[in-house]
Amino acid sequence: RDAQESRGLGDVYKRQPLTENAQLKDPELTIIQGPEGPQMNHANSKSLFDAAQKVIPGGVNSPVRAFRSVGGNPLFFKGGEGAYLIDADDNRYVDYVGAWGPLILGHGSPLVVDALRNQLDQGIGYGASTEAEITIATKIVDIVPSIEKVRLTTSGTEATMSAIRVARGYTGRDAIVKFEGCYHGHADGLLVKAGSGALTLGEPDSLGVPKAYTDLTHVLPYNDAQAVEDFFAKHGDSIACLIVEPIAGNMNLVPPVPGFLETLRAVCDKHGTVLIFDEVMTGFRVARGGAQEVYGVTPDMTCLGKVIGGGLPVGAFGGRTDIMNMIAPLGAVYQAGTLSGSPLAVAAGICMLDAISQPGFYEDLGARAEQLMTGLKACAAAAGIPFTTNQVGGMFGCFFSEEDTVTNFAQVMACNSDHFQRYFHLMLDGGVYLAPSAFEAGFISIVHGDAELAATLAAAENAFAALAS
């Protein structure tokens, strides 16, 4: 903590001490011997999973939590503190999932907790408009280059689904384009060669989605500018919108190659197609203004989530005024949500946007992630394990691949899944929690300090050595 507090970002990032009922046990008491060395005891998580399977399909409320691609039983967590997660058996882990991205200030940030506590004293929700909604909308408009007006939702899926509906209403067209390996939520019509949990399950397409929906969805290879140009030359005038993760984060982390996003902008301009950036994951994560700030390409519409809720359920979509004015009550495109603009989520989001706007925030976050990636590659090289990484700001991806750089879906799918499975469990036993899927990006928070990085690299050194043997 002393090291973190001396990093020049002020007292706002100090961790709160653990509450009395969340005190950690001596780590030595939670270690048992396993076939590959010390392993943590997960007996309580196992019992909870057994109970969950009786009342919840598959025992989980989101498929990627199920550990299907890495084997074993999923962990159940009961607490978080700063850069750490605490499971049901009191094991402590350096966390690189961060609730899948939003906890950029770490677990239990005093800023966020205080904002929520203050709002709770005033009420949980009203089902009506609040001044705070104007405050957060104004901040989003000021920060994100493409957004002139914004509408809040309660999830990223709602944001992408609504943005596509608005684009169809604006253009009068039905067909859309997405990219393989990019996940835009679980709305019908988008679960076609999707990333994230769909890849984890080995089922890129979902049952229960009528073929008539997916017939309107055209899928192109990510980072293939020529394929985009060829497709739009034939079909561009019939495409309502092109939706893309400007940095793919749901087939692990794959940044755009030079010229790819520029090509998307050019073909959409030529054919009157609405360009939608899905920045639910990258927005306020890779830079204050998102990936569009990093690469200098401005979409017509942007979808957001994660960070602007401070860990609470939230989403948003916005864009040019002429497009956004198509939405009811101004226009004929209907979109609604009873809990949209939840006072609790908005309070946490305002706090988050203020915190990440501090000078030097993203420089420090990116430096920490780069330090981690450099260290992991060194550990792998020392053990002779083929391994490469991608990193943009506070997001990163790790690949067990012979390739020097991973830039497309085919390369991701060719990675050594057996190595990842063993690596995941070895790191878990070393006190490091990674996403339980080779197709998910990793996230670092501003409270991951020198001690956490050192512990992570020590665990990685042992993990790679075990893989080599």
Side-chain angles (χ1 to χ4, degrees):
R1 287 179 185 159
D2 290 342
Q4 289 163 352
E5 291 165 12
S6 68
R7 284 160 54 190
L9 290 173
D11 291 341
V12 294
Y13 303 119
K14 290 181 181 178
R15 299 182 192 152
Q16 289 181 312
L18 286 172
T19 57
E20 184 176 352
N21 63 358
Q23 290 294 328
L24 300 175
K25 293 181 179 180
D26 184 331
E28 294 182 1
L29 299 179
T30 64
I31 301 296
I32 59 174
Q33 193 68 24
E36 295 192 83
Q39 293 185 328
M40 290 185 175
N41 175 24
H42 298 141
N44 288 341
S45 280
K46 174 62 167 61
S47 296
L48 290 170
F49 184 50
D50 290 342
Q53 291 180 89
K54 297 176 182 177
V55 291
I56 300 172
V60 294
N61 282 310
S62 188
V64 76
R65 302 176 188 176
F67 278 38
R68 287 293 179 92
S69 71
V70 294
N73 297 313
L75 295 184
F76 283 67
F77 293 99
K78 67 178 185 180
E81 179 213 12
Y84 295 88
L85 272 175
I86 306 152
D87 73 11
D89 294 275
D90 290 315
N91 300 309
R92 188 181 192 184
Y93 308 87
V94 181
D95 177 28
Y96 291 101
V97 177
W100 304 101
L103 301 183
I104 198 167
L105 303 183
H107 294 274
S109 163
L111 288 175
V112 178
V113 171
D114 287 346
L116 292 173
R117 187 177 290 116
N118 291 337
Q119 180 56 48
L120 282 171
D121 290 339
Q122 302 173 58
I124 294 174
Y126 317 119
S129 298
T130 67
E131 183 178 355
E133 293 175 61
I134 305 172
T135 301
I136 195 169
T138 301
K139 290 180 182 294
I140 292 170
V141 168
D142 288 344
I143 293 172
V144 182
S146 65
I147 297 181
E148 295 175 352
K149 286 190 176 181
V150 64
R151 175 67 67 88
L152 298 178
T153 65
T154 55
S155 71
T157 291
E158 290 179 46
T160 56
M161 176 182 70
S162 300
I164 290 171
R165 182 183 301 160
V166 172
R168 281 172 164 157
Y170 178 78
T171 61
R173 305 169 182 175
D174 294 332
I176 70 171
V177 167
K178 71 176 292 289
F179 293 88
E180 61 182 358
C182 288
Y183 177 74
H184 305 291
H186 57 89
D188 290 348
L190 290 176
L191 288 176
V192 185
K193 294 190 177 179
S196 190
L199 286 179
T200 300
L201 293 173
E203 298 172 358
D205 303 305
S206 173
L207 295 176
V209 177
K211 185 175 183 296
Y213 288 167
T214 57
D215 283 347
L216 296 172
T217 303
H218 302 277
V219 184
L220 300 178
Y222 185 79
N223 267 340
D224 189 337
Q226 189 61 55
V228 174
E229 291 177 334
D230 292 345
F231 177 85
F232 270 80
K234 295 179 180 179
H235 309 287
D237 293 342
S238 66
I239 304 300
C241 65
L242 182 155
I243 186 169
V244 64
E245 290 182 90
I247 301 170
N250 288 286
M251 52 175 163
N252 213 317
L253 184 81
V254 180
V257 296
F260 178 65
L261 297 181
E262 290 82 357
T263 297
L264 304 187
R265 179 69 276 172
V267 297
C268 286
D269 285 341
K270 181 177 180 179
H271 296 279
T273 298
V274 176
L275 176 59
I276 303 173
F277 275 10
D278 179 353
E279 296 221 47
V280 168
M281 189 174 287
T282 57
F284 312 107
R285 246 293 167 189
V286 297
R288 185 168 177 263
Q292 57 197 267
E293 177 186 301
V294 174
Y295 297 105
V297 177
T298 303
D300 300 304
M301 299 184 75
T302 299
C303 300
L304 300 169
K306 307 290 187 184
V307 172
I308 60 170
L312 276 71
V314 73
F317 66 100
R320 297 195 331 244
T321 296
D322 60 325
I323 297 176
M324 294 300 291
N325 282 351
M326 296 293 297
I327 305 170
L330 290 179
V333 177
Y334 191 75
Q335 188 277 334
T338 302
L339 298 178
S340 296
S342 158
L344 288 172
V346 168
I350 291 171
C351 159
M352 277 286 200
L353 295 183
D354 287 342
I356 64 173
S357 296
Q358 289 198 36
F361 184 94
Y362 286 98
E363 290 79 3
D364 185 59
L365 191 71
R368 289 289 166 169
E370 183 178 2
Q371 182 181 347
L372 177 63
M373 294 302 99
T374 300
L376 289 176
K377 286 189 286 189
C379 291
I385 299 294
F387 183 82
T388 190
T389 66
N390 287 329
Q391 177 249 327
V392 184
M395 290 178 63
F396 62 86
C398 299
F399 307 88
F400 287 91
S401 172
E402 301 276 357
E403 304 278 358
D404 292 333
T405 306
V406 174
T407 62
N408 59 58
F409 181 79
Q411 289 175 312
V412 171
M413 298 306 290
C415 290
N416 190 323
S417 58
D418 290 337
H419 270 183
F420 176 80
Q421 180 175 345
R422 287 192 63 206
Y423 175 75
F424 171 82
H425 284 286
L426 288 164
M427 292 295 281
L428 199 67
D429 293 336
V432 177
Y433 185 63
L434 305 171
S437 166
F439 306 114
E440 300 290 350
F443 304 92
I444 198 166
S445 80
I446 202 68
V447 294
H448 280 75
D450 292 338
E452 287 75 27
L453 296 186
T456 302
L457 295 178
E461 184 177 5
N462 292 334
F464 284 118
L467 287 175
S469 65

